[in-house]
Amino acid sequence: MPTEVTVQNLYIFNSTLSKTEDDGAKKILFYYPEHEDENKKVLNIGHIEAVICFARNFNANESCESLRTEKSLQVLYNAEPDFWIVITVSAECKSKQKSSESPDEPVYCTYNLQEPIYLAVLKHWYHTFQMAVGSMTKLMNDNDPDYLRLMLNKFYSKYLQNTDVSSHTFMDMFQGISFLPLDNAIHLNAQSFLNIIENTFQQVHFTMLLYNDSLVWSGLNKRQTQLVYSYILMWVLPEIAKKDNLVKGNSLQQCLANQLVGRFITNVWAVKTDSWISDLGKVPIFRLNDENDETFKSYRLVMYKAHHSIVCMFIKMENPLTADLYNTLDQFLGTKLHLLSEKMKNTVEKTLASKLYTERPAKFVYFNGMNLAIKNSIKHSNTAATTNRPSEFNLSPDALRVLVDISSQQSYMHPTYSVMIKTSNDNWVAGRLCNSREIYIVLNQKLTKLYDVDSEIQSLCAQEFGTIFFYD
Amino acid sequence: MEETQETDTTSLISDINDIVIHDPVVSKSVTENDPEPSSSEQGSSYEILFDQLKENNKHIFVLSTAGKPIYTRFGNENQMASLFGLMIALVSVTQDSNDTLQSICCGQTRIVFLNKDPIILVGVSQSSEPNDQIKKQLTYVYNNIISTLTLTQLKKIFHNRTNFDLRRLMSGSERLIDKLILFTENDPGFLLDSISCLQMPSSSRDKITQTILTQCSKIKNLVFGLLIAQKHVISIVRMKKYSLHVSDIHLILNLINSTESFKTAETWTPICLPTFDSSGYMHAHISYLAEDCQACLVLLTIDHNLFFALSDAKRKITEKMRCNDCLHEINEAIIRQPVSLARANITGLRHLLYKNKNRSQHWCPPFTSPYNTNALQQNLMSVYSSLISQMNFPGRTLKVIFQQLTAETMLAWVTDDVELYMSFEPLVSKECATNAVTKLTQWMKKEEDSLFIFNIPMF
């Protein structure tokens, strides 16, 4: 039965901001939908506060994670002490025949709503916010609650507008990074190219290289790489696809008339942007830290695209972004990046062609918690990092939900774990976990014997992950 | 020669009538006389209380929609007023927006609400038990309350006095609820919605059933007859068109296994079977067959004047069974070592639960090595519990789960007729596990006659 998921609301609050019963509205830091009745907002938050307080009687060490009612699921994320982010989703069954007794009464199927999916969204958005703006506690202490409200509103409104959380599935839980598979020589080539940039331009503190939507190399730590990577996937790549925007709405073109090979990407949306000279367009600002340094510093992100590759350069705030700098960067990067990108293209195509593969009626997701790498045949990357051609069958929502069940069981139950499941429509779903590597497979074959299923999975793994060891 | 023994339940019922209809003042005075702890005591006992809340693995609270405490599994419900107040508030706020509060999740802690106006049940588990299983436990507790009061009575009581203190009428059945919760925590029958049968040759079982049937069919208004040995059912007979639901049988089993006095004298007690008919009482004649045969016969009727007829029938059944050797056969079956899984001779298989879906009956062989300690057995049960709830999850039921865990490999296998949950050695091969299913199915074909009741005759 098709399920229609709706996001009822998403709100952020801090109970310590309200001192008396009458100023309940003060604890609201962000509320979507914005035009909700003010009393209703306060009431909803009050309700959740009561739930949190009630749950503490039974578990003082872990914070409250979710609340289920007949019609909805609320997922809570205690991002910072006293700061709570809450999302409410509801699900209706869209059956063809309505029940005869009450034809207009909607049928709810909240059992199809799964906490881990929404918790992953809340966490990912919060971490992105933290990277772009900072921690809520610090923002509030350094400025005032209103400044925090402004920032949260800017960020969350945009993300809610741009993301359809109601359509999120298993695939949206990981926010993993798709790495470009390269041979050693070309990989070193790419790395040395980035090193040269950092050495030649003292302003550039970190670098990162993408080929299409795959990551080639990043100088940031893995969490930050993941956040910047997903930012680029969400805001930069779609803009580029629209073509006109590389130098949209500014006179960068005029200032840098000789950008022949490559282009700077500016004026992409970010919660915090900065323009050194307005003519040169705005660039995003992120707060990053070195691995051996706890303190966060702000960096301007300058992106340069040539051929299919984008190089990201994080430039310290104290260094001016002048037309001169842009010009020297352009001259330095243009041809080099283009050549490197072509080389990468060749190797990717060669490896794809040389690999023999059999078409399998199977889909898989591989996620490595150590480097946050993801490889899958469900959502297609245009780099085609997998050898598995898109097969014809679509994953059923049920199969995806079973995958969520598997992954949430894995995470708290066992360090190594393997499971094979036959669903009610005779698909096989399998999951394996070993050394923080996770693999999920859905087979669309009518197999009856466990060992047939197992050997099918074995050969799929051998084809796709020949070099990765899995506990069997 | 027989004498009617009034049980707690019967006296309870008369109490209800007294209180509700004739003398509402009585209950009021009782409430007021509740000992109130002094304020200094209260402070320290509060701390102890809240430590307790976190400690015990499974809490069950029952309260009225007006916030009056009815039952709590641990501690003293009088000290939980503030907690109960919060529960009521949470439930009613959700109700105000035309919705029903179901559960709260907090790390490993699950808090499940069951709103059965006029009472509310709350279950708290600290071991990430599946929500639906906690909900089922609450339903069992609710059913147990209904079984002593009937839904009609319960509604009437709270309709007349919303502030009524139900504990006054519950004094005998708190012990039953305690035992019932233990049953739901330990018995595979609860997880599988099925009953366990006393293993005996089918010819003996048929003879016993026939003996009961011959006597029962003569009695007008007799609806069900059950013969029980401890936790197992030996035989069931029933009136045409009526059948006994598993959860009702579980309540009867719990009542019998928790009441020692049934062993000494025959008992005549009203009981409501909530799934069968929550609105009214049935009358149960409960008695053990003989001094030398500890099987308990339960005869259920809708006619409250039938005591002597049933008592007579029971005497005749026992006499007949003594003559045709049934008593002896029952005794043998009770003391016989239950059939061990080793007999099936399946490599790598350690334990299993087998449910015949059509009959709602299961077989759980005795635990053998390596499940030697209570903790290991409990642990296996919780693995089963999680598998069972995954297999039957609403909206996405499954057919097979093959799960390799650190200590064992589990296989759950459901067909139209059978639910099978098997525990293997950890390194068992998939081939071996699949073969085990086939082998076991064949073996069960031979054995199931003695493990299950196939003949439930009507009269």
Side-chain angles (χ1 to χ4, degrees), chain A residues 68 71 418 420 422 426, chain B residues 98-99 103 399 402 404:
Chain A
R68 278 176 182 276
K71 297 180 183 174
S418 161
M420 292 195 274
K422 189 186 189 182
D426 291 335
Chain B
N98 252 331
D99 205 346
S103 65
K399 288 182 177 171
F402 181 81
Q404 283 170 298

Side-chain angles (χ1 to χ4, degrees), chain A residues 47 50-51 53-60 62-72 110-112 114 398 401-402 405 409 412-414 416-424 426 428 448 450-451 454 471-472, chain B residues 50 53-54 59 61 83 86-87 90 93-94 98-109 111 113 124 126 128 131 386 390 393-406 411 413 430-431 433-434:
Chain A
H47 184 207
V51 169
C53 164
F54 174 66
R56 258 185 214 134
N57 288 324
F58 299 100
N59 189 338
E62 290 163 295
S63 53
C64 190
E65 282 158 19
S66 70
L67 170 72
R68 278 176 182 276
T69 66
E70 191 200 344
K71 297 180 183 174
S72 72
T110 36
Y111 48 80
N112 281 339
Q114 297 171 293
D398 279 354
R401 284 183 204 117
V402 173
D405 289 341
Q409 274 229 313
Y412 80 88
M413 270 176 84
H414 319 279
T416 49
Y417 176 82
S418 161
V419 66
M420 292 195 274
I421 287 173
K422 189 186 189 182
T423 61
S424 55
D426 291 335
W428 283 89
T448 48
L450 272 176
Y451 46 85
D454 188 51
Y471 158 84
D472 176 33
Chain B
F50 285 111
L53 291 181
K54 280 155 208 142
H59 289 277
F61 305 99
L83 193 66
L86 207 44
M87 288 175 187
L90 290 179
V93 166
T94 322
N98 252 331
D99 205 346
T100 317
L101 182 59
Q102 288 179 333
S103 65
I104 296 170
C105 160
C106 186
Q108 301 274 79
T109 313
I111 308 170
F113 294 80
V124 183
Q126 301 284 16
S128 44
N131 280 347
S386 131
Q390 278 184 71
F393 197 88
R396 43 180 186 279
T397 51
L398 306 173
K399 288 182 177 171
V400 178
I401 298 180
F402 181 81
Q403 212 177 24
Q404 283 170 298
L405 310 176
T406 357
L411 175 63
W413 191 284
K430 279 107 191 165
E431 190 163 3
T434 320

